[in-house]
Amino acid sequence: MQKSSFEFLLVIALIKYCDGTVFNVVNQNAANYPFNMTLYEDVLNSELCQRQLTYITTNNTLLLLRFYDAGVRIPRSILLGNTVDLGNYQQCININQALEGSDIQGKYCMIKVPTNQSLQISSFLLSKWLKTTPSHLQNDTFSRLGAYDKLENYVKTMFGLHEFKTRIGSLNPNLNLNLAVCIPAPCTTREALSVFYFNITSILQFENDFCRLPGDKPWVPADYVAIIIFSIIGLLVLLSTSYELLHSLILKKGSKEIRTIYRSFSVYTNTRRLLFHKSGLDSLECIDGIRALAMTWVIAGHAILIVFNSINLREAIKWAQSIKAIWITAAPITVDTFFMLSGLLVVYTTAGKLNNMQLLQNLPLFYLHRVLRMFPILAAMILYEVSFQNRVFDGPLWNIQAMSIFACRKYWWSALLHIQNFYNPTNMCIPSTWYLSVDVQLHLLSPIFLFWILSGKKNIVWIVLTIGLLTSLVTATIYNFLQDFQSGIFIQNPLELRRYYVYYYVNTLTRASPFFVGMAYGYILHLWKGKPLEISKFLTLAVWSCMLLILAGVMYCVRINLDVNWDNQLADNILNSFMRPAWAFGLGWLIFACVKGYGGPINWFLCFNMWRLPARLSYAMYIIHFPIIMTVYGSTNVRTLFSVQNLILQIAAFLLITVMIAFVVTVTIDAPFATLIKLLLSKEKISCQKTPVSEISKHVQQSDMKDQNEMNQEENDISKKL
Ligand SMILES: *[C@@H]1O[C@H](CO)[C@@H](O)[C@H](O)[C@H]1NC(C)=O
Ligand SMILES: *[C@@H]1O[C@H](CO)[C@@H](O)[C@H](O)[C@H]1NC(C)=O
Ligand SMILES: *[C@@H]1O[C@H](CO)[C@@H](O)[C@H](O)[C@H]1NC(C)=O
Ligand SMILES: *[C@@H]1O[C@H](CO)[C@@H](O)[C@H](O)[C@H]1NC(C)=O
Ligand SMILES: *[C@@H]1O[C@H](CO)[C@@H](O)[C@H](O)[C@H]1NC(C)=O
């Protein structure tokens, strides 16, 4: 494979990823598609079109200018990797002028112009315009660019003059220029462009991508359902808050006299609980820090989507390939942090509190709790996604947003059942929820191992944990070696990207090992709970250095195939099989050392109080951040210059917005339902297992509430202070 082509292929892979062309194959004529596709066909009217065009071109120069102004341009910075011109969406849609009973309405369309076409235009004509002939132009440009920055192959590839042999097969990039055109609503792009400019069909080949008109987002049943449900929740919050304020502030009643169920939706109680809640896992304080930082990293990693809206994509990719960008390109490994924590907590929170028979008796409850605690926010977000999300914003790239809305309208149930990673991996509702699917599936399996762990016999536990870890490692390794995936999400070939994503990236088998590593650490932590541990200074230092090296090494390897010269299938297979458990292994030590007092400055940093809130919000943040980023991406009106400073600014903005929305959602939706679920489950006949069940639930989510008694105590204290 030629070197300079690499980044270009990367650009294409990423563009296709963002276009959704790699992943989404959607039937746009379905009844509940976010756009009214019949509308676009119904407005077409050749006769009316000609009338309007004649009027515009002969009688109304200002109107003609408005169409020109919002419409087609050659993209800027083509040589820097920009192939898109977005025109001016709002300006075009807002054109609306009355003319003899019909309105002249602006229609925004995107056309795709293949760059590998041989121009039919006469060389003579072109030479008049450009003072040169196309072949001269080509030869000149290429030779100059070739001398300058070795751009030659890049440009040739860009215009489809090159075929590339990659490890997976040959690939002709066949890039399109995506150009926005603004035309009157009744016209097709061909009709309008040949009047506005010149007889375009005789010169250029192009295809229509999509068109947009005002009022093309139909109301669907989901909209009404969402309005009703969110109104009910809003009303409950209002009533419940008033109820509590009335009783506690005006009637001055003690918190014991206020019924828990009536104030479950109270913003007052829920906010206070969220802010003053002390971690239930008292001895594992550093986990809050890890969680908050990992969530920040996830958001930073996903914010890279915004980079594809840069006009200097090529520079952005160059930066991403360099080691300087490791803080963002290594982000995909973060998810394994969460898998590790998940495994660790499931063991740590149950060991010593349940025995294996109690676990068996409580198994339905164990599962129910797991799924119910995740349900409210996920369901609320899906409901939002299928309804309001379509109306919250608009913009030239909203059709990408439409695909993800449509995915939710189609697969909301599979998202709620947590089977998306197997059932519809290329068309996921809220794509980041693949993690939840894998996590829930691992939790479904975990009782098989928990049963033996809770038996309390050390030897058996170690044998079972070893068997679990080895089974997942060995099967995943065999699978990886049979499949020969590339390592890392930064794949050059769009076709390979799809295979990697579906069969490796969201596959429970290949992602399971960090969970098992976490389980082992959970058991180690349990064994040493409350017992002092003596490690010599030298040994501590040695293990720390070793573990930090592992973590740094994994971070380096996650993004290794961004390297131009990277071509090593064996190493790829090994990385795919072992870098994730290695990450979990290093991180597990970090937690263990921090808990046992060998963390030093790292422990000091991870135990800051400021991590508590984001840690508690992390589940909500995880679900919410991706739609927010997609919304911003889909409503971008212009492409801007990529710079690292700008990227950092964007990440900070996403982070802040995500925290704020996550806070509101947690207080108004998650916390009330947590209280209700708790009341519901504690009503059932589980008197003897009451404590264990609440222990089970603790690991499910950081925002879990304290026991009722403790909470009342806390509230009494606070109301005394008020
Ligand atoms: C789509 O637009 C057409 C008008 O062209 C209208 O008759 C139809 O009711 C619209 N469909 C929806 C679902 O609103
Ligand atoms: C356009 O201008 C011509 C003369 O320039 C006039 O005859 C015609 O009525 C005008 N059409 C409209 C729709 O104003
Ligand atoms: C451009 O590339 C596409 C796909 O590789 C091919 O089908 C088409 O024939 C090419 N067009 C020209 C004019 O070479
Ligand atoms: C352009 O380059 C090709 C070979 O690279 C050559 O055959 C052709 O004559 C050149 N054209 C001009 C106008 O120099
Ligand atoms: C444009 O060109 C095509 C093919 O060359 C021809 O069939 C068509 O009549 C032309 N249209 C106009 C308006 O000149």
Side-chain angles (χ1 to χ4, degrees):
M1 198 175 92
Q2 283 158 57
K3 278 188 190 178
S4 58
S5 71
F6 175 86
E7 60 194 52
F8 177 69
L9 292 171
L10 200 64
V11 171
I12 296 185
L14 294 174
I15 289 175
K16 294 214 171 193
Y17 174 80
C18 293
D19 269 0
T21 44
V22 175
F23 290 104
N24 294 291
V25 186
V26 294
N27 171 17
Q28 302 194 329
N29 291 318
N32 53 359
Y33 195 73
F35 298 146
N36 184 345
M37 301 310 281
T38 51
L39 178 66
Y40 303 129
E41 281 159 30
D42 288 351
V43 292
L44 294 180
N45 180 338
S46 214
E47 189 208 341
L48 187 61
C49 165
Q50 290 308 330
R51 197 139 47 88
Q52 294 194 349
L53 286 176
T54 316
Y55 169 76
I56 295 167
T57 45
T58 57
N59 292 47
N60 198 333
T61 317
L62 183 60
L63 194 55
L64 180 64
L65 266 180
R66 287 173 73 189
F67 277 105
Y68 275 170
D69 196 25
V72 65
R73 302 270 203 293
I74 306 268
R76 267 151 211 266
S77 310
I78 290 186
L79 298 184
L80 295 181
N82 180 32
T83 56
V84 178
D85 178 71
L86 295 175
N88 190 333
Y89 177 78
Q90 303 296 345
Q91 187 185 10
C92 179
I93 291 287
N94 287 338
I95 295 177
N96 192 331
Q97 187 151 332
L99 167 74
E100 294 169 0
S102 75
D103 283 350
I104 298 184
Q105 170 64 54
K107 177 164 77 171
Y108 177 94
C109 292
M110 191 64 94
I111 57 174
K112 282 187 175 172
V113 185
T115 47
N116 66 342
Q117 56 190 291
S118 45
L119 292 181
Q120 303 295 317
I121 191 168
S122 74
S123 296
F124 173 75
L125 196 60
L126 202 62
S127 66
K128 281 275 181 280
W129 287 352
L130 296 174
K131 307 269 188 289
T132 177
T133 65
S135 53
H136 268 119
L137 181 69
Q138 255 180 19
N139 285 14
D140 276 9
T141 316
F142 287 158
S143 57
R144 276 182 205 160
L145 287 174
Y148 163 78
D149 200 21
K150 295 209 170 85
L151 262 168
E152 182 174 11
N153 288 332
Y154 175 73
V155 176
K156 277 188 183 167
T157 316
M158 190 128 193
F159 291 96
L161 304 171
H162 247 334
E163 189 178 308
F164 278 99
K165 298 219 174 350
T166 68
R167 245 198 289 169
I168 287 81
S170 60
L171 179 72
N172 192 337
N174 184 30
L175 196 67
N176 298 319
L177 294 181
N178 291 285
L179 307 179
V181 298
C182 183
I183 56 177
C187 303
T188 64
T189 45
R190 267 164 228 282
E191 285 170 337
L193 288 182
S194 27
V195 174
F196 277 172
Y197 300 94
F198 47 84
N199 191 347
I200 199 154
T201 39
S202 60
I203 298 168
L204 272 184
Q205 293 167 346
F206 68 91
E207 52 182 288
N208 293 306
D209 191 357
F210 64 90
C211 288
R212 295 294 312 281
L213 282 166
D216 60 356
K217 295 175 177 172
W219 288 84
V220 293
D223 288 313
Y224 306 111
V225 174
I227 290 175
I228 293 171
I229 290 186
F230 286 126
S231 311
I232 291 177
I233 292 180
L235 197 68
L236 283 176
V237 168
L238 206 67
L239 288 177
S240 183
T241 310
S242 321
Y243 170 85
E244 188 180 11
L245 287 183
L246 183 75
H247 279 74
S248 69
L249 290 186
I250 299 176
L251 301 179
K252 301 258 180 235
K253 292 203 175 160
S255 59
K256 288 237 168 67
E257 294 165 70
I258 305 176
R259 294 279 307 272
T260 313
I261 189 153
Y262 290 147
R263 63 164 185 200
S264 55
F265 277 84
S266 168
V267 171
Y268 191 63
T269 301
N270 291 334
T271 307
R272 204 169 49 198
R273 248 183 240 168
L274 191 60
L275 292 178
F276 297 106
H277 167 86
K278 292 191 192 72
S279 182
L281 302 159
D282 39 2
S283 51
L284 302 185
E285 262 179 278
C286 60
I287 284 187
D288 278 350
I290 293 179
R291 233 185 217 138
L293 291 171
M295 190 47 62
T296 308
W297 209 13
V298 167
I299 294 177
H302 282 151
I304 209 168
L305 259 179
I306 296 299
V307 169
F308 303 121
N309 265 333
S310 340
I311 53 171
N312 52 344
L313 204 51
R314 183 169 184 271
E315 283 168 7
I317 299 288
K318 240 183 185 164
W319 172 78
Q321 280 177 288
S322 70
I323 193 84
K324 280 180 283 185
I326 194 168
W327 60 274
I328 196 161
T329 45
I333 198 72
T334 347
V335 179
D336 298 289
T337 310
F338 288 110
F339 284 133
M340 195 280 285
L341 286 179
S342 220
L344 187 149
L345 290 178
V346 79
V347 172
Y348 187 75
T349 52
T350 48
K353 285 153 198 150
L354 283 177
N355 65 35
N356 47 4
M357 281 307 150
Q358 280 172 328
L359 177 77
L360 274 193
Q361 283 161 2
N362 280 308
L363 208 53
L365 222 56
F366 176 86
Y367 287 145
L368 195 67
H369 225 291
R370 176 80 208 162
V371 174
L372 275 188
R373 281 305 277 113
M374 297 167 97
F375 181 80
I377 290 186
L378 182 62
M381 201 58 209
I382 291 174
L383 187 61
Y384 166 80
E385 186 81 5
V386 297
S387 57
F388 301 154
Q389 173 71 330
N390 199 22
R391 303 175 184 283
V392 72
F393 239 138
D394 204 354
L397 299 174
W398 202 254
N399 58 325
I400 295 167
Q401 190 59 262
M403 285 183 206
S404 77
I405 294 168
F406 186 56
C408 270
R409 289 187 178 169
K410 209 167 166 190
Y411 294 114
W412 57 271
W413 55 273
S414 103
L416 288 178
L417 289 178
H418 302 289
I419 53 171
Q420 290 207 94
N421 62 331
F422 288 121
Y423 190 76
N424 50 322
T426 60
N427 211 359
M428 282 196 209
C429 168
I430 313 181
S432 59
T433 56
W434 71 266
Y435 161 77
L436 297 186
S437 305
V438 174
D439 192 53
V440 166
Q441 287 155 18
L442 287 172
H443 269 88
L444 283 184
L445 292 177
S446 66
I448 300 176
F449 301 95
L450 271 184
F451 178 80
W452 297 105
I453 292 171
L454 297 182
S455 73
K457 296 192 184 83
K458 260 191 209 174
N459 292 341
I460 296 184
V461 176
W462 283 120
I463 292 172
V464 167
L465 281 174
T466 315
I467 290 177
L469 183 59
L470 280 185
T471 316
S472 79
L473 270 181
V474 169
T475 44
T477 308
I478 294 173
Y479 175 78
N480 289 334
F481 272 85
L482 288 178
Q483 292 278 341
D484 278 347
F485 296 110
Q486 298 196 3
S487 66
I489 191 79
F490 304 99
I491 306 276
Q492 302 96 313
N493 187 330
L495 302 174
E496 173 62 10
L497 176 61
R498 187 192 181 110
R499 194 174 76 97
Y500 170 83
Y501 188 80
V502 173
Y503 295 105
Y504 177 83
Y505 196 72
V506 300
N507 188 336
T508 310
L509 172 66
T510 47
R511 305 307 293 264
S513 46
F515 186 83
F516 287 101
V517 174
M519 281 178 107
Y521 273 111
Y523 188 64
I524 294 175
L525 280 171
H526 165 69
L527 283 184
W528 290 101
K529 197 181 205 168
K531 289 178 198 160
L533 177 71
E534 292 289 336
I535 314 180
S536 71
K537 281 208 177 84
F538 174 75
L539 191 62
T540 315
L541 210 62
V543 178
W544 261 112
S545 325
C546 189
M547 292 301 176
L548 287 180
L549 266 180
I550 290 181
L551 292 181
V554 171
M555 274 175 71
Y556 182 80
C557 289
V558 173
R559 38 161 300 284
I560 202 161
N561 72 342
L562 275 165
D563 187 334
V564 173
N565 297 314
W566 182 253
D567 183 11
N568 188 338
Q569 188 60 57
L570 178 67
D572 274 345
N573 290 343
I574 291 174
L575 286 179
N576 277 335
S577 310
F578 298 109
M579 71 180 167
R580 295 170 200 285
W583 176 262
F585 182 64
L587 218 58
W589 159 259
L590 198 148
I591 294 174
F592 182 71
C594 284
V595 171
K596 286 289 137 203
Y598 293 93
I602 295 182
N603 185 44
W604 169 78
F605 180 70
L606 291 178
C607 292
F608 283 161
N609 271 338
M610 72 171 178
W611 303 130
R612 292 225 175 127
L613 184 65
R616 216 155 301 139
L617 295 176
S618 62
Y619 172 63
M621 284 169 73
Y622 187 79
I623 295 186
I624 289 167
H625 80 278
F626 202 72
I628 291 178
I629 293 176
M630 288 296 286
T631 306
V632 172
Y633 179 75
S635 56
T636 312
N637 267 302
V638 283
R639 301 207 141 193
T640 51
L641 199 73
F642 163 82
S643 63
V644 181
Q645 292 89 333
N646 193 17
L647 180 64
I648 293 172
L649 196 67
Q650 299 265 14
I651 291 171
F654 284 135
L655 197 62
L656 187 64
I657 296 173
T658 308
V659 168
M660 278 162 34
I661 298 181
F663 188 89
V664 172
V665 171
T666 304
V667 165
T668 58
I669 295 177
D670 189 55
F673 282 101
T675 312
L676 292 183
I677 289 168
K678 191 166 225 171
L679 285 176
L680 194 78
L681 292 186
S682 61
K683 284 248 167 62
E684 285 175 15
K685 272 275 152 219
I686 48 166
S687 46
C688 60
Q689 296 104 353
K690 203 168 178 181
T691 331
V693 171
S694 67
E695 291 301 336
I696 289 175
S697 67
K698 260 183 193 163
H699 83 272
V700 172
Q701 217 189 72
Q702 49 293 343
S703 63
D704 246 357
M705 304 302 158
K706 284 179 143 185
D707 285 336
Q708 212 62 31
N709 296 337
E710 281 175 79
M711 221 151 54
N712 289 341
Q713 191 59 46
E714 192 179 88
E715 277 159 23
N716 282 339
D717 294 348
I718 292 166
S719 40
K720 267 179 213 150
K721 277 180 208 150
L722 279 175

